Amino acid sequence: MGTSESAPLIRACWLSWLAVETADQAAVVKALGLTEVRETAWTDGVELIDEVAHDEEKPFPTVIITPSVQGWTLVFGRYFGLPHLSQTAHVTDLCRKLSAHFGKAQLFFHSEQNDGEAWLIAEHGRILRRWISEYPELALGEPFGIERRLLDAYGITGKPEDLDPDSDLAGEWAAAWGECWATTVAEESSIDPTAAAADTSSHSKMLVAAAPPFE
């Protein structure tokens, strides 16, 4: 998709998002139980995503929903932050349920401040992989795709969560997570929002909404 001044790319120091494989924005809003829904321009939505990322409240209830981007609907907000331990179990189960309904659902956390990376890939009600760099003990499933290829390149034949944390291999991987960032995994598995612009031929807008409290 092309870029333009009217459709800036999504960037934030700390970016948490959900990706659902559907072009039906309204269906995602309904499935998430979002309320207080209002429209906003793409440019304003991008600015709000960054503001939400810097808010110190946890969990911050505001979420921003994109129109379809290459067949995926993306939802941004600290609400979906896998590394926030008070939220990890909730958003993991939420993503699993969404994947059972829509086929594929994924969660990502990317830090431009080198604070960590996280992703969760779910398909048809099953979690294929969860990795949270700050909490390797919470990993689920087996590395695959770009994660597996980069682990192999580092000489790590098993899973990073099984490494001796004091070993040289663990240190080399943790230094930059093998350049295996959430955006890298997202680009292969769904959409990298920092590189995919809005479809400027579409008049669809972003939505701003309030997420329900954790159960």
Side-chain angles (χ1 to χ4, degrees):
M1 291 184 180
T3 61
S4 73
E5 291 184 359
S6 61
L9 298 177
I10 294 169
R11 301 294 293 271
C13 295
W14 302 279
L15 197 60
S16 299
W17 75 97
L18 165 74
V20 184
E21 192 180 37
T22 178
D24 192 338
Q25 188 186 50
V28 174
V29 169
K30 181 178 179 180
L32 290 172
L34 304 181
T35 59
E36 302 176 34
V37 182
R38 61 179 175 85
E39 289 188 346
T40 190
W42 181 277
T43 300
D44 294 337
V46 169
E47 291 181 359
L48 184 57
I49 287 169
D50 189 50
E51 290 176 15
V52 168
H54 285 84
D55 195 285
E56 292 303 318
E57 296 180 33
K58 294 181 182 180
F60 192 70
T62 300
V63 297
I64 301 92
I65 310 99
T66 70
S68 174
V69 181
Q70 298 177 26
W72 291 78
T73 297
L74 310 181
V75 191
F76 294 86
R78 290 180 64 163
Y79 186 87
F80 299 106
L82 276 168
H84 300 314
L85 295 182
S86 63
Q87 297 160 236
T88 305
H90 172 80
V91 295
T92 294
D93 191 52
L94 176 62
C95 193
R96 181 187 60 77
K97 290 177 180 177
L98 289 169
S99 77
H101 182 74
F102 292 100
K104 294 182 180 180
Q106 303 168 4
L107 290 166
F108 299 95
F109 170 78
H110 171 62
S111 170
E112 292 191 349
Q113 308 300 312
N114 203 32
D115 293 328
E117 302 289 321
W119 53 84
L120 185 150
I121 310 296
E123 294 186 7
H124 305 293
R126 187 167 67 95
I127 296 169
L128 303 183
R129 178 63 169 162
R130 181 176 72 184
W131 170 252
I132 305 171
S133 61
E134 296 172 277
Y135 304 104
E137 67 275 12
L138 297 181
L140 296 172
E142 297 288 335
F144 69 94
I146 185 65
E147 183 188 7
R148 180 70 268 162
R149 295 194 297 275
L150 286 172
L151 285 166
D152 291 342
Y154 269 67
I156 301 171
T157 57
K159 297 185 286 187
E161 58 265 33
D162 293 335
L163 292 174
D164 178 348
D166 297 322
S167 68
D168 290 341
L169 272 179
E172 291 173 5
W173 180 253
W177 301 286
E179 296 186 359
C180 192
W181 301 322
T183 49
T184 312
V185 177
E187 183 177 19
E188 181 174 84
S189 299
S190 52
I191 295 291
D192 173 6
T194 68
D199 182 355
T200 54
S201 66
S202 171
H203 295 290
S204 297
K205 293 180 178 291
M206 283 194 185
L207 300 177
V208 181
F214 295 159
E215 297 178 356

